[in-house]
Amino acid sequence: MKSEILYGIHPVHEALKANRRLLYEVYLAARKKSERLAQIQSLATSRGVALKTVDTADIRALAGQPGHQGVAARVSPYEMVSLSQLLETVPAQGGAAPFLLVIDSVQDPQNLGAIIRTALCVGVDGVVMPKDRSVSPTPTVSSASAGALEHIRLARVTNLVQGFKRIKQSGLWIAGLERNTAVSIYDTDLTGPLAVVLGGEQKGIRPLVKKNCDLLV
């Protein structure tokens, strides 16, 4: 049975709400009491998830770091989807325009978490990432996303350029975010089916990926 430890109030609470992962046990610190921890306890009970009250030191040992806020959970690993599965679930024609985020080579889990948090808030339907040169959706990413990772769909592809072909076949335009272009994002019509490409921390969007964008803003 593969599992990992989520830690922190938001990741554990959102994992319970999203109900996408298998939750095996929720661990609560014996000396910590708050309304948010009580909500987690109530939600876990309603879902039939085992609850254990343990020492704070035990939760720190499970989480591997101190920022656990008195709660952790043993859960199944985050399950990614294929690009085809992701494209099948974006809004159909006649509804809201599909909106994807493509992340090229982001390697810091804190950055990925912050990006996913923002993506969920602005209504992104899903996130596409390359398998190589990218951080995995770890518990640290869920923590940095304030639990947003538990609600968003994430697809990994072997080759982003090949993935672009599939995305374009589904009717989406691809806009790369590039600092060295005269075209402002605020002066560009970005309505309609769209995938926005965000580059990595060091060099931004890689040259071949950039070349296969429909526009750069």
Side-chain angles (χ1 to χ4, degrees):
M1 177 183 69
K2 290 185 177 181
S3 66
E4 60 188 26
I5 299 295
L6 284 183
Y7 58 87
I9 288 172
H10 288 300
V12 175
H13 189 245
E14 296 309 315
L16 284 163
K17 284 175 60 181
N19 202 26
R20 291 182 172 181
R21 301 188 194 234
L22 295 176
L23 284 98
Y24 304 114
E25 291 179 320
V26 170
Y27 307 95
L28 296 169
R31 298 180 182 180
K32 280 197 174 277
K33 304 293 181 183
S34 73
E35 182 179 343
R36 292 191 296 175
L37 289 174
Q39 290 174 353
I40 289 174
Q41 183 174 2
S42 177
L43 190 53
T45 300
S46 69
R47 294 276 166 83
V49 179
L51 285 165
K52 284 190 175 182
T53 301
V54 298
D55 291 337
T56 300
D58 293 329
I59 294 185
R60 179 169 182 168
L62 285 166
Q65 55 91 40
H68 52 72
Q69 300 176 301
V71 61
R74 186 174 298 280
V75 302
S76 60
Y78 180 88
E79 187 172 344
M80 289 178 282
V81 299
S82 68
L83 180 57
S84 295
Q85 289 172 321
L86 180 59
L87 292 171
E88 287 170 0
T89 56
V90 298
Q93 290 184 357
F99 184 22
L100 298 181
L101 174 65
V102 179
I103 303 175
D104 182 19
S105 307
V106 168
Q107 299 182 16
D108 186 298
Q110 298 292 331
N111 289 342
L112 180 60
I115 291 165
I116 287 175
R117 183 177 69 238
T118 303
L120 185 69
C121 289
V122 301
V124 164
D125 296 306
V127 176
V128 181
M129 298 169 56
K131 288 182 177 179
D132 297 328
R133 297 178 295 275
S134 294
V135 65
S136 297
T138 62
T140 300
V141 173
S142 186
S143 178
S145 76
L149 176 66
E150 307 307 314
H151 296 277
I152 207 157
R153 286 164 294 184
L154 195 158
R156 267 189 163 167
V157 295
T158 302
N159 186 296
L160 270 186
V161 173
Q162 292 299 316
F164 279 8
K165 293 180 180 178
R166 181 71 180 85
I167 291 170
K168 292 180 182 182
Q169 287 170 356
S170 295
L172 281 74
W173 289 82
I174 298 178
L177 301 183
E178 166 60 45
R179 62 183 295 180
N180 297 318
T181 179
V183 182
S184 169
I185 193 171
Y186 301 107
D187 297 328
T188 306
D189 182 5
L190 298 176
T191 57
L194 182 69
V196 172
V197 186
L198 178 66
E201 293 92 348
Q202 300 300 320
K203 298 181 179 179
I205 303 173
R206 287 173 292 160
L208 186 59
V209 174
K210 187 185 304 183
K211 182 178 179 182
N212 282 271
C213 292
D214 294 310
L215 65 156
L216 299 173
V217 294

